[in-house]
PDB file of all heavy atoms in Angstrom:
ATOM      1  N   HIS Q  86       7.014   2.942   1.660  1.00 93.00           N
ATOM      2  CA  HIS Q  86       6.196   1.671   1.682  1.00 93.00           C
ATOM      3  C   HIS Q  86       4.732   2.052   2.125  1.00 93.00           C
ATOM      4  O   HIS Q  86       4.601   3.002   2.934  1.00 93.00           O
ATOM      5  CB  HIS Q  86       6.798   0.786   2.758  1.00 93.00           C
ATOM      6  CG  HIS Q  86       8.168   0.212   2.393  1.00 93.00           C
ATOM      7  ND1 HIS Q  86       8.388  -0.695   1.365  1.00 93.00           N
ATOM      8  CD2 HIS Q  86       9.387   0.577   2.918  1.00 93.00           C
ATOM      9  CE1 HIS Q  86       9.691  -0.932   1.380  1.00 93.00           C
ATOM     10  NE2 HIS Q  86      10.292  -0.132   2.134  1.00 93.00           N
ATOM     11  N   PRO Q  87       3.871   1.347   1.669  1.00 94.00           N
ATOM     12  CA  PRO Q  87       2.403   1.754   1.924  1.00 94.00           C
ATOM     13  C   PRO Q  87       1.991   1.444   3.353  1.00 94.00           C
ATOM     14  O   PRO Q  87       2.590   0.463   3.914  1.00 94.00           O
ATOM     15  CB  PRO Q  87       1.663   0.904   0.982  1.00 94.00           C
ATOM     16  CG  PRO Q  87       2.559  -0.329   0.595  1.00 94.00           C
ATOM     17  CD  PRO Q  87       3.895   0.217   0.665  1.00 94.00           C
ATOM     18  N   LEU Q  88       1.050   2.089   3.862  1.00 93.00           N
ATOM     19  CA  LEU Q  88       0.496   1.894   5.260  1.00 93.00           C
ATOM     20  C   LEU Q  88       0.060   0.417   5.397  1.00 93.00           C
ATOM     21  O   LEU Q  88       0.066  -0.054   6.524  1.00 93.00           O
ATOM     22  CB  LEU Q  88      -0.655   2.759   5.536  1.00 93.00           C
ATOM     23  CG  LEU Q  88      -0.442   4.191   5.968  1.00 93.00           C
ATOM     24  CD1 LEU Q  88      -1.740   4.762   6.538  1.00 93.00           C
ATOM     25  CD2 LEU Q  88       0.661   4.306   6.908  1.00 93.00           C
ATOM     26  N   THR Q  89      -0.356  -0.124   4.339  1.00 91.00           N
ATOM     27  CA  THR Q  89      -0.912  -1.549   4.418  1.00 91.00           C
ATOM     28  C   THR Q  89       0.118  -2.561   4.767  1.00 91.00           C
ATOM     29  O   THR Q  89      -0.201  -3.706   5.177  1.00 91.00           O
ATOM     30  CB  THR Q  89      -1.538  -1.973   3.130  1.00 91.00           C
ATOM     31  OG1 THR Q  89      -0.732  -1.596   2.033  1.00 91.00           O
ATOM     32  CG2 THR Q  89      -2.924  -1.266   2.918  1.00 91.00           C
ATOM     33  N   HIS Q  90       1.409  -2.103   4.740  1.00 92.00           N
ATOM     34  CA  HIS Q  90       2.527  -3.119   5.149  1.00 92.00           C
ATOM     35  C   HIS Q  90       3.437  -2.467   6.083  1.00 92.00           C
ATOM     36  O   HIS Q  90       4.648  -2.139   5.799  1.00 92.00           O
ATOM     37  CB  HIS Q  90       3.301  -3.529   3.813  1.00 92.00           C
ATOM     38  CG  HIS Q  90       2.487  -4.351   2.893  1.00 92.00           C
ATOM     39  ND1 HIS Q  90       2.231  -5.646   3.153  1.00 92.00           N
ATOM     40  CD2 HIS Q  90       1.876  -4.045   1.775  1.00 92.00           C
ATOM     41  CE1 HIS Q  90       1.432  -6.130   2.204  1.00 92.00           C
ATOM     42  NE2 HIS Q  90       1.336  -5.137   1.323  1.00 92.00           N
ATOM     43  N   PRO Q  91       2.966  -2.192   7.344  1.00 92.00           N
ATOM     44  CA  PRO Q  91       3.835  -1.469   8.344  1.00 92.00           C
ATOM     45  C   PRO Q  91       5.116  -2.339   8.695  1.00 92.00           C
ATOM     46  O   PRO Q  91       6.002  -1.833   9.092  1.00 92.00           O
ATOM     47  CB  PRO Q  91       2.889  -1.408   9.552  1.00 92.00           C
ATOM     48  CG  PRO Q  91       1.729  -2.382   9.275  1.00 92.00           C
ATOM     49  CD  PRO Q  91       1.655  -2.612   7.919  1.00 92.00           C
ATOM     50  N   GLU Q  92       5.028  -3.701   8.483  1.00 91.00           N
ATOM     51  CA  GLU Q  92       6.241  -4.450   8.798  1.00 91.00           C
ATOM     52  C   GLU Q  92       7.422  -4.113   7.922  1.00 91.00           C
ATOM     53  O   GLU Q  92       8.588  -4.454   8.232  1.00 91.00           O
ATOM     54  CB  GLU Q  92       5.889  -5.991   8.814  1.00 91.00           C
ATOM     55  CG  GLU Q  92       5.650  -6.491   7.347  1.00 91.00           C
ATOM     56  CD  GLU Q  92       4.270  -6.222   6.722  1.00 91.00           C
ATOM     57  OE1 GLU Q  92       3.396  -5.539   7.443  1.00 91.00           O
ATOM     58  OE2 GLU Q  92       4.036  -6.592   5.530  1.00 91.00           O
ATOM     59  N   ARG Q  93       7.078  -3.528   6.741  1.00 93.00           N
ATOM     60  CA  ARG Q  93       8.135  -3.072   5.864  1.00 93.00           C
ATOM     61  C   ARG Q  93       8.975  -1.857   6.281  1.00 93.00           C
ATOM     62  O   ARG Q  93      10.086  -1.669   5.989  1.00 93.00           O
ATOM     63  CB  ARG Q  93       7.654  -2.924   4.359  1.00 93.00           C
ATOM     64  CG  ARG Q  93       7.180  -4.245   3.874  1.00 93.00           C
ATOM     65  CD  ARG Q  93       6.778  -4.003   2.354  1.00 93.00           C
ATOM     66  NE  ARG Q  93       6.069  -5.163   1.823  1.00 93.00           N
ATOM     67  CZ  ARG Q  93       5.406  -5.106   0.712  1.00 93.00           C
ATOM     68  NH1 ARG Q  93       5.176  -4.010   0.023  1.00 93.00           N
ATOM     69  NH2 ARG Q  93       4.728  -6.234   0.342  1.00 93.00           N
ATOM     70  N   TYR Q  94       8.167  -0.990   6.970  1.00 94.00           N
ATOM     71  CA  TYR Q  94       8.873   0.277   7.370  1.00 94.00           C
ATOM     72  C   TYR Q  94       9.137   0.476   8.833  1.00 94.00           C
ATOM     73  O   TYR Q  94      10.061   1.218   9.198  1.00 94.00           O
ATOM     74  CB  TYR Q  94       8.158   1.525   6.788  1.00 94.00           C
ATOM     75  CG  TYR Q  94       6.745   1.687   7.174  1.00 94.00           C
ATOM     76  CD1 TYR Q  94       6.393   2.277   8.357  1.00 94.00           C
ATOM     77  CD2 TYR Q  94       5.681   1.225   6.327  1.00 94.00           C
ATOM     78  CE1 TYR Q  94       5.135   2.474   8.786  1.00 94.00           C
ATOM     79  CE2 TYR Q  94       4.397   1.493   6.741  1.00 94.00           C
ATOM     80  CZ  TYR Q  94       4.133   2.092   7.992  1.00 94.00           C
ATOM     81  OH  TYR Q  94       2.796   2.227   8.332  1.00 94.00           O
ATOM     82  N   LEU Q  95       8.266  -0.170   9.679  1.00 93.00           N
ATOM     83  CA  LEU Q  95       8.439   0.073  11.040  1.00 93.00           C
ATOM     84  C   LEU Q  95       9.842  -0.286  11.737  1.00 93.00           C
ATOM     85  O   LEU Q  95      10.281   0.328  12.636  1.00 93.00           O
ATOM     86  CB  LEU Q  95       7.263  -0.571  11.842  1.00 93.00           C
ATOM     87  CG  LEU Q  95       5.922   0.121  11.775  1.00 93.00           C
ATOM     88  CD1 LEU Q  95       4.878  -0.616  12.665  1.00 93.00           C
ATOM     89  CD2 LEU Q  95       6.030   1.560  12.292  1.00 93.00           C
ATOM     90  N   PRO Q  96      10.477  -1.320  11.146  1.00 93.00           N
ATOM     91  CA  PRO Q  96      11.789  -1.626  11.737  1.00 93.00           C
ATOM     92  C   PRO Q  96      12.732  -0.389  11.590  1.00 93.00           C
ATOM     93  O   PRO Q  96      13.755  -0.261  12.283  1.00 93.00           O
ATOM     94  CB  PRO Q  96      12.357  -2.837  10.891  1.00 93.00           C
ATOM     95  CG  PRO Q  96      11.079  -3.401  10.446  1.00 93.00           C
ATOM     96  CD  PRO Q  96      10.083  -2.304  10.204  1.00 93.00           C
ATOM     97  N   ARG Q  97      12.455   0.570  10.678  1.00 92.00           N
ATOM     98  CA  ARG Q  97      13.258   1.732  10.550  1.00 92.00           C
ATOM     99  C   ARG Q  97      12.676   3.072  11.133  1.00 92.00           C
ATOM    100  O   ARG Q  97      13.050   4.172  10.805  1.00 92.00           O
ATOM    101  CB  ARG Q  97      13.538   2.059   9.038  1.00 92.00           C
ATOM    102  CG  ARG Q  97      14.433   0.855   8.359  1.00 92.00           C
ATOM    103  CD  ARG Q  97      14.274   0.852   6.820  1.00 92.00           C
ATOM    104  NE  ARG Q  97      14.566   2.222   6.274  1.00 92.00           N
ATOM    105  CZ  ARG Q  97      14.143   2.683   5.179  1.00 92.00           C
ATOM    106  NH1 ARG Q  97      13.276   1.936   4.400  1.00 92.00           N
ATOM    107  NH2 ARG Q  97      14.604   3.787   4.709  1.00 92.00           N
ATOM    108  N   VAL Q  98      11.577   2.887  11.936  1.00 94.00           N
ATOM    109  CA  VAL Q  98      10.899   3.928  12.512  1.00 94.00           C
ATOM    110  C   VAL Q  98      10.928   3.804  14.069  1.00 94.00           C
ATOM    111  O   VAL Q  98      10.715   2.737  14.616  1.00 94.00           O
ATOM    112  CB  VAL Q  98       9.370   3.860  12.072  1.00 94.00           C
ATOM    113  CG1 VAL Q  98       8.635   4.957  12.865  1.00 94.00           C
ATOM    114  CG2 VAL Q  98       9.288   4.050  10.595  1.00 94.00           C
ATOM    115  N   GLY Q  99      11.157   4.993  14.665  1.00 93.00           N
ATOM    116  CA  GLY Q  99      11.121   5.016  16.100  1.00 93.00           C
ATOM    117  C   GLY Q  99      10.052   5.907  16.556  1.00 93.00           C
ATOM    118  O   GLY Q  99       9.786   6.908  15.786  1.00 93.00           O
ATOM    119  N   ALA Q 100       9.277   5.640  17.597  1.00 92.00           N
ATOM    120  CA  ALA Q 100       8.057   6.530  17.929  1.00 92.00           C
ATOM    121  C   ALA Q 100       7.964   6.691  19.439  1.00 92.00           C
ATOM    122  O   ALA Q 100       8.117   5.758  20.223  1.00 92.00           O
ATOM    123  CB  ALA Q 100       6.855   5.949  17.338  1.00 92.00           C
ATOM    124  N   LEU Q 101       7.526   7.926  19.756  1.00 90.00           N
ATOM    125  CA  LEU Q 101       7.223   8.255  21.074  1.00 90.00           C
ATOM    126  C   LEU Q 101       5.744   8.901  20.949  1.00 90.00           C
ATOM    127  O   LEU Q 101       5.543   9.929  20.361  1.00 90.00           O
ATOM    128  CB  LEU Q 101       8.082   9.306  21.744  1.00 90.00           C
ATOM    129  CG  LEU Q 101       7.718   9.897  22.999  1.00 90.00           C
ATOM    130  CD1 LEU Q 101       7.666   8.835  24.125  1.00 90.00           C
ATOM    131  CD2 LEU Q 101       8.700  10.938  23.466  1.00 90.00           C
ATOM    132  N   ILE Q 102       4.798   8.138  21.414  1.00 86.00           N
ATOM    133  CA  ILE Q 102       3.335   8.600  21.146  1.00 86.00           C
ATOM    134  C   ILE Q 102       2.720   9.023  22.500  1.00 86.00           C
ATOM    135  O   ILE Q 102       2.707   8.265  23.402  1.00 86.00           O
ATOM    136  CB  ILE Q 102       2.463   7.430  20.607  1.00 86.00           C
ATOM    137  CG1 ILE Q 102       3.262   6.804  19.559  1.00 86.00           C
ATOM    138  CG2 ILE Q 102       1.175   7.901  20.111  1.00 86.00           C
ATOM    139  CD1 ILE Q 102       2.856   5.283  19.376  1.00 86.00           C
ATOM    140  N   GLU Q 103       2.266  10.238  22.495  1.00 80.00           N
ATOM    141  CA  GLU Q 103       1.627  10.829  23.689  1.00 80.00           C
ATOM    142  C   GLU Q 103       2.503  10.628  24.915  1.00 80.00           C
ATOM    143  O   GLU Q 103       3.760  10.704  24.767  1.00 80.00           O
ATOM    144  CB  GLU Q 103       0.219  10.231  23.927  1.00 80.00           C
ATOM    145  CG  GLU Q 103      -0.819  10.668  22.825  1.00 80.00           C
ATOM    146  CD  GLU Q 103      -2.173  10.090  23.050  1.00 80.00           C
ATOM    147  OE1 GLU Q 103      -2.238   8.855  23.290  1.00 80.00           O
ATOM    148  OE2 GLU Q 103      -3.090  10.752  23.218  1.00 80.00           O
ATOM    149  N   ALA Q 104       1.908  10.460  26.080  1.00 81.00           N
ATOM    150  CA  ALA Q 104       2.693  10.165  27.293  1.00 81.00           C
ATOM    151  C   ALA Q 104       3.390   8.780  27.157  1.00 81.00           C
ATOM    152  O   ALA Q 104       2.635   7.862  26.759  1.00 81.00           O
ATOM    153  CB  ALA Q 104       1.804  10.167  28.439  1.00 81.00           C
ATOM    154  N   PRO Q 105       4.691   8.707  27.255  1.00 87.00           N
ATOM    155  CA  PRO Q 105       5.285   7.360  27.070  1.00 87.00           C
ATOM    156  C   PRO Q 105       4.790   6.393  28.097  1.00 87.00           C
ATOM    157  O   PRO Q 105       4.539   6.663  29.236  1.00 87.00           O
ATOM    158  CB  PRO Q 105       6.771   7.625  27.276  1.00 87.00           C
ATOM    159  CG  PRO Q 105       6.814   8.955  27.979  1.00 87.00           C
ATOM    160  CD  PRO Q 105       5.607   9.732  27.651  1.00 87.00           C
ATOM    161  N   ALA Q 106       4.541   5.114  27.584  1.00 91.00           N
ATOM    162  CA  ALA Q 106       3.943   4.075  28.437  1.00 91.00           C
ATOM    163  C   ALA Q 106       4.972   3.034  28.830  1.00 91.00           C
ATOM    164  O   ALA Q 106       5.840   2.697  27.984  1.00 91.00           O
ATOM    165  CB  ALA Q 106       2.846   3.448  27.705  1.00 91.00           C
ATOM    166  N   PHE Q 107       5.020   2.646  30.098  1.00 93.00           N
ATOM    167  CA  PHE Q 107       5.991   1.775  30.590  1.00 93.00           C
ATOM    168  C   PHE Q 107       5.319   0.706  31.540  1.00 93.00           C
ATOM    169  O   PHE Q 107       4.104   0.852  31.888  1.00 93.00           O
ATOM    170  CB  PHE Q 107       7.057   2.528  31.435  1.00 93.00           C
ATOM    171  CG  PHE Q 107       7.627   3.601  30.788  1.00 93.00           C
ATOM    172  CD1 PHE Q 107       7.293   4.893  31.078  1.00 93.00           C
ATOM    173  CD2 PHE Q 107       8.636   3.427  29.825  1.00 93.00           C
ATOM    174  CE1 PHE Q 107       7.819   5.978  30.459  1.00 93.00           C
ATOM    175  CE2 PHE Q 107       9.213   4.502  29.128  1.00 93.00           C
ATOM    176  CZ  PHE Q 107       8.790   5.798  29.420  1.00 93.00           C
ATOM    177  N   TYR Q 108       6.091  -0.322  31.877  1.00 93.00           N
ATOM    178  CA  TYR Q 108       5.742  -1.315  32.894  1.00 93.00           C
ATOM    179  C   TYR Q 108       6.297  -0.577  34.230  1.00 93.00           C
ATOM    180  O   TYR Q 108       7.497  -0.733  34.433  1.00 93.00           O
ATOM    181  CB  TYR Q 108       6.350  -2.626  32.638  1.00 93.00           C
ATOM    182  CG  TYR Q 108       5.949  -3.126  31.292  1.00 93.00           C
ATOM    183  CD1 TYR Q 108       6.812  -3.112  30.222  1.00 93.00           C
ATOM    184  CD2 TYR Q 108       4.601  -3.617  31.098  1.00 93.00           C
ATOM    185  CE1 TYR Q 108       6.381  -3.551  28.991  1.00 93.00           C
ATOM    186  CE2 TYR Q 108       4.235  -3.918  29.802  1.00 93.00           C
ATOM    187  CZ  TYR Q 108       5.102  -4.026  28.757  1.00 93.00           C
ATOM    188  OH  TYR Q 108       4.772  -4.490  27.497  1.00 93.00           O
ATOM    189  N   PRO Q 109       5.467  -0.057  35.138  1.00 93.00           N
ATOM    190  CA  PRO Q 109       5.950   0.784  36.189  1.00 93.00           C
ATOM    191  C   PRO Q 109       6.834  -0.023  37.179  1.00 93.00           C
ATOM    192  O   PRO Q 109       7.662   0.541  37.831  1.00 93.00           O
ATOM    193  CB  PRO Q 109       4.683   1.288  36.843  1.00 93.00           C
ATOM    194  CG  PRO Q 109       3.630   0.526  36.336  1.00 93.00           C
ATOM    195  CD  PRO Q 109       4.049   0.018  34.973  1.00 93.00           C
ATOM    196  N   SER Q 110       6.563  -1.290  37.396  1.00 91.00           N
ATOM    197  CA  SER Q 110       7.245  -2.104  38.407  1.00 91.00           C
ATOM    198  C   SER Q 110       8.618  -2.574  37.834  1.00 91.00           C
ATOM    199  O   SER Q 110       9.398  -3.125  38.656  1.00 91.00           O
ATOM    200  CB  SER Q 110       6.431  -3.176  38.958  1.00 91.00           C
ATOM    201  OG  SER Q 110       6.046  -4.073  37.983  1.00 91.00           O
ATOM    202  N   LEU Q 111       8.900  -2.441  36.577  1.00 93.00           N
ATOM    203  CA  LEU Q 111      10.091  -2.918  35.990  1.00 93.00           C
ATOM    204  C   LEU Q 111      11.102  -1.756  35.884  1.00 93.00           C
ATOM    205  O   LEU Q 111      10.666  -0.555  35.876  1.00 93.00           O
ATOM    206  CB  LEU Q 111       9.862  -3.497  34.623  1.00 93.00           C
ATOM    207  CG  LEU Q 111       9.110  -4.842  34.484  1.00 93.00           C
ATOM    208  CD1 LEU Q 111       8.977  -5.246  32.984  1.00 93.00           C
ATOM    209  CD2 LEU Q 111       9.778  -5.886  35.259  1.00 93.00           C
ATOM    210  N   SER Q 112      12.385  -2.028  35.942  1.00 93.00           N
ATOM    211  CA  SER Q 112      13.413  -0.950  35.827  1.00 93.00           C
ATOM    212  C   SER Q 112      13.401  -0.326  34.483  1.00 93.00           C
ATOM    213  O   SER Q 112      12.784  -0.870  33.488  1.00 93.00           O
ATOM    214  CB  SER Q 112      14.713  -1.579  36.207  1.00 93.00           C
ATOM    215  OG  SER Q 112      15.137  -2.385  35.097  1.00 93.00           O
ATOM    216  N   GLY Q 113      14.055   0.839  34.370  1.00 93.00           N
ATOM    217  CA  GLY Q 113      14.101   1.557  33.134  1.00 93.00           C
ATOM    218  C   GLY Q 113      14.901   0.646  32.140  1.00 93.00           C
ATOM    219  O   GLY Q 113      14.535   0.524  30.963  1.00 93.00           O
ATOM    220  N   ARG Q 114      15.929  -0.111  32.629  1.00 94.00           N
ATOM    221  CA  ARG Q 114      16.660  -0.910  31.710  1.00 94.00           C
ATOM    222  C   ARG Q 114      15.856  -2.064  31.227  1.00 94.00           C
ATOM    223  O   ARG Q 114      15.864  -2.406  30.026  1.00 94.00           O
ATOM    224  CB  ARG Q 114      17.902  -1.489  32.477  1.00 94.00           C
ATOM    225  CG  ARG Q 114      18.706  -2.602  31.685  1.00 94.00           C
ATOM    226  CD  ARG Q 114      19.767  -3.190  32.546  1.00 94.00           C
ATOM    227  NE  ARG Q 114      20.811  -2.198  32.906  1.00 94.00           N
ATOM    228  CZ  ARG Q 114      21.742  -1.772  32.063  1.00 94.00           C
ATOM    229  NH1 ARG Q 114      21.874  -2.284  30.918  1.00 94.00           N
ATOM    230  NH2 ARG Q 114      22.583  -0.830  32.559  1.00 94.00           N
ATOM    231  N   THR Q 115      15.037  -2.719  32.126  1.00 94.00           N
ATOM    232  CA  THR Q 115      14.260  -3.903  31.688  1.00 94.00           C
ATOM    233  C   THR Q 115      13.183  -3.422  30.686  1.00 94.00           C
ATOM    234  O   THR Q 115      12.890  -4.115  29.746  1.00 94.00           O
ATOM    235  CB  THR Q 115      13.588  -4.604  32.861  1.00 94.00           C
ATOM    236  OG1 THR Q 115      14.630  -4.857  33.813  1.00 94.00           O
ATOM    237  CG2 THR Q 115      12.997  -5.879  32.460  1.00 94.00           C
ATOM    238  N   ASN Q 116      12.581  -2.265  30.943  1.00 95.00           N
ATOM    239  CA  ASN Q 116      11.594  -1.715  29.996  1.00 95.00           C
ATOM    240  C   ASN Q 116      12.174  -1.556  28.624  1.00 95.00           C
ATOM    241  O   ASN Q 116      11.583  -1.896  27.622  1.00 95.00           O
ATOM    242  CB  ASN Q 116      11.085  -0.284  30.462  1.00 95.00           C
ATOM    243  CG  ASN Q 116       9.829  -0.484  31.270  1.00 95.00           C
ATOM    244  OD1 ASN Q 116       8.759  -0.617  30.720  1.00 95.00           O
ATOM    245  ND2 ASN Q 116      10.043  -0.374  32.648  1.00 95.00           N
ATOM    246  N   LEU Q 117      13.419  -1.157  28.511  1.00 94.00           N
ATOM    247  CA  LEU Q 117      14.182  -0.967  27.187  1.00 94.00           C
ATOM    248  C   LEU Q 117      14.438  -2.370  26.643  1.00 94.00           C
ATOM    249  O   LEU Q 117      14.327  -2.653  25.429  1.00 94.00           O
ATOM    250  CB  LEU Q 117      15.487  -0.152  27.393  1.00 94.00           C
ATOM    251  CG  LEU Q 117      15.340   1.350  27.419  1.00 94.00           C
ATOM    252  CD1 LEU Q 117      16.770   1.984  27.475  1.00 94.00           C
ATOM    253  CD2 LEU Q 117      14.630   1.828  26.060  1.00 94.00           C
TER     254      LEU Q 117
END
Side-chain angles (χ1 to χ4, degrees):
Chain Q
H86 298 285
L88 276 195
T89 45
H90 293 284
E92 71 284 357
R93 292 186 190 163
Y94 61 82
L95 282 182
R97 294 162 57 206
V98 175
L101 170 65
I102 314 155
E103 290 182 306
F107 307 104
Y108 304 102
S110 58
L111 293 180
S112 69
R114 174 186 296 280
T115 308
N116 267 281
L117 277 182

